[in-house]
Amino acid sequence: MNFIAESKLKELLGDKLDFLFILNMDGNIMKVNSIVHSILEYTDEDLNDKHLLNVYGPKYKEKVGAIIPLAIKGDVPFCPYPLVTKSGDLIPVDTHFFIGWWQGQNVFVAVSTNLGTEFFSKEVFYSIFNGSDVMMSISTIDSNVFFNVNKSFIDTTGYTLEDISGTTIQELGIYNDYSQREILLKKVAINGRAEGEVKIMTKHGDLLTCLISLERVKIKKQYYLFAAVTNISQRKQMEDKLVNLNRQQKLLTDVVQLLNKPDNFDEIIDNVLDLIGIHTNVSRVYLFENSEDNKFISNTHEWCNEGI
């Protein structure tokens, strides 16, 4: 296990990104840095002489409780589980363990790198946000006002950032059926996230079939709605073509079976026209017979759709 000198620990106490926990060799908290107070919301009174497990949620206490003794012995170098704020919010972190020297004694040190998206550097966040082929947006939850969208959103929908910023989703009219969004928002209110299939209208009036994932995210104590939208229009078109081909195949099979029946031929032809008319959803289907000299034709059978 790597060693941290006291000078490095003093430097980490002023860190604005990573959480620092200085512990005794039993895993009890002796000192934390200021970000533990500001982000995790704990006071010194909440944590002093308390075990490190107090900054983990109930779901992870047993797993972390098994890791810490191994980490103190040097057998486990890191822990992947999220920290929990005093108000119960999870903060994704990558925690690494060290042995250190602090105020004349050996200490056990946990340094947790904050991986919450709001604390990524601007360069990292925008490379993820704008580099994705998936359409993404950030909006308010209650008023549905757009704050930001990524390049894929702009390229796919035709709306510019100027068109979108400060505009409500309802005003923009981007949902072909706004009730689809209202159903998803009800699920977000209950579960914090929702997924579904929606119809999105581009600026030029094209209708796109999309899969959408909505998630409530917390950025500096304020909740926002993050949306990831995948255009599946081409896939849906292919699925529709396959369905149509299957229907055509069934139609041909049904027609062949009818023509092979030893029933009245005129009745069979009427049934065949009926199948063709229903399959194609046209107004009429006719069958004409040529005269022997091929100068005239006669309408021998006719099918009419309902209401014709």
Side-chain angles (χ1 to χ4, degrees):
M1 181 180 292
N2 292 331
F3 179 83
I4 293 186
E6 188 166 6
S7 58
K8 181 63 177 178
L9 287 177
K10 289 179 179 178
E11 180 183 328
L12 287 172
L13 283 173
D15 197 292
K16 301 298 183 183
L17 181 62
D18 294 339
F19 303 101
L20 172 68
F21 301 90
I22 301 175
L23 317 164
N24 64 23
M25 300 308 289
D26 293 322
N28 295 323
I29 298 170
M30 300 169 59
K31 185 74 175 177
V32 298
N33 64 350
S34 60
I35 193 173
V36 173
H37 301 312
S38 61
I39 303 300
L40 298 186
E41 305 166 354
Y42 296 108
T43 64
D44 286 332
E45 289 74 20
D46 293 327
L47 296 179
N48 281 350
D49 296 325
K50 303 289 176 43
H51 199 273
L52 184 63
L53 288 178
N54 283 274
V55 295
Y56 287 92
K59 180 179 178 180
Y60 304 102
K61 285 185 184 293
E62 183 177 350
K63 296 175 181 178
V64 179
I67 287 175
I68 289 176
L70 296 175
I72 291 174
K73 291 195 300 181
D75 294 335
V76 176
F78 73 98
C79 175
Y81 302 115
L83 303 178
V84 64
T85 68
K86 189 174 181 178
S87 55
D89 296 312
L90 295 183
I91 303 292
V93 294
D94 179 19
T95 300
H96 285 255
F97 301 114
F98 306 88
I99 293 298
W101 185 258
W102 177 255
Q103 296 181 347
Q105 61 179 308
N106 284 324
V107 290
F108 178 55
V109 180
V111 179
S112 301
T113 300
N114 193 338
L115 298 180
T117 54
E118 65 268 32
F119 299 105
F120 285 161
S121 69
K122 184 179 290 187
E123 292 79 7
V124 172
F125 175 76
Y126 278 107
S127 68
I128 296 171
F129 192 70
N130 280 325
S132 175
D133 292 332
V134 176
M135 293 179 277
M136 297 182 181
S137 69
I138 299 173
S139 62
T140 58
I141 293 179
D142 297 330
S143 57
N144 291 314
V145 174
F146 275 119
F147 284 115
N148 199 2
V149 294
N150 68 346
K151 186 177 183 297
S152 178
F153 191 104
I154 292 169
D155 292 342
T156 304
T157 66
Y159 289 103
T160 66
L161 190 57
E162 288 74 19
D163 292 330
I164 289 170
S165 294
T167 304
T168 68
I169 294 167
Q170 201 162 12
E171 287 171 347
L172 199 65
I174 199 166
Y175 280 82
N176 184 56
D177 180 0
Y178 192 77
S179 65
Q180 291 180 324
R181 180 177 176 83
E182 291 176 325
I183 292 170
L184 291 170
L185 288 178
K186 288 178 181 178
K187 293 180 180 178
V188 171
I190 297 170
N191 303 316
R193 66 187 315 276
E195 295 177 346
E197 184 176 304
V198 297
K199 299 286 187 180
I200 296 294
M201 186 77 71
T202 70
K203 188 175 183 179
H204 306 296
D206 297 322
L207 198 60
L208 306 178
T209 303
C210 299
L211 290 178
I212 187 170
S213 174
L214 299 177
E215 186 154 357
R216 185 174 59 221
V217 296
K218 189 176 185 181
I219 302 176
K220 294 185 178 178
K221 299 186 179 182
Q222 180 66 42
Y223 284 102
Y224 298 89
L225 196 64
F226 178 79
V229 185
T230 304
N231 182 6
I232 60 168
S233 298
Q234 289 185 340
R235 192 187 85 186
K236 292 294 288 186
Q237 289 171 1
M238 289 299 298
E239 289 174 354
D240 292 342
K241 285 182 181 179
L242 287 174
V243 169
N244 192 47
L245 285 173
N246 287 334
R247 286 176 179 168
Q248 288 182 5
Q249 187 68 40
K250 186 178 185 306
L251 171 66
L252 291 173
T253 302
D254 292 342
V255 168
V256 169
Q257 288 178 344
L258 281 172
L259 292 175
N260 283 324
K261 283 185 175 182
D263 298 339
N264 181 283
F265 183 73
D266 287 328
E267 290 182 4
I268 290 174
I269 293 300
D270 287 338
N271 289 333
V272 168
L273 296 189
D274 182 65
L275 287 174
I276 294 172
I278 292 172
H279 174 79
T280 57
N281 195 31
V282 293
S283 298
R284 291 182 174 87
V285 180
Y286 300 102
L287 183 64
F288 291 89
E289 183 179 14
N290 291 338
S291 62
E292 290 185 3
D293 58 9
N294 289 322
K295 290 183 178 180
F296 304 98
I297 59 173
S298 299
N299 179 203
T300 61
H301 299 79
E302 176 183 11
W303 173 86
C304 288
N305 207 335
E306 291 184 9
I308 302 301

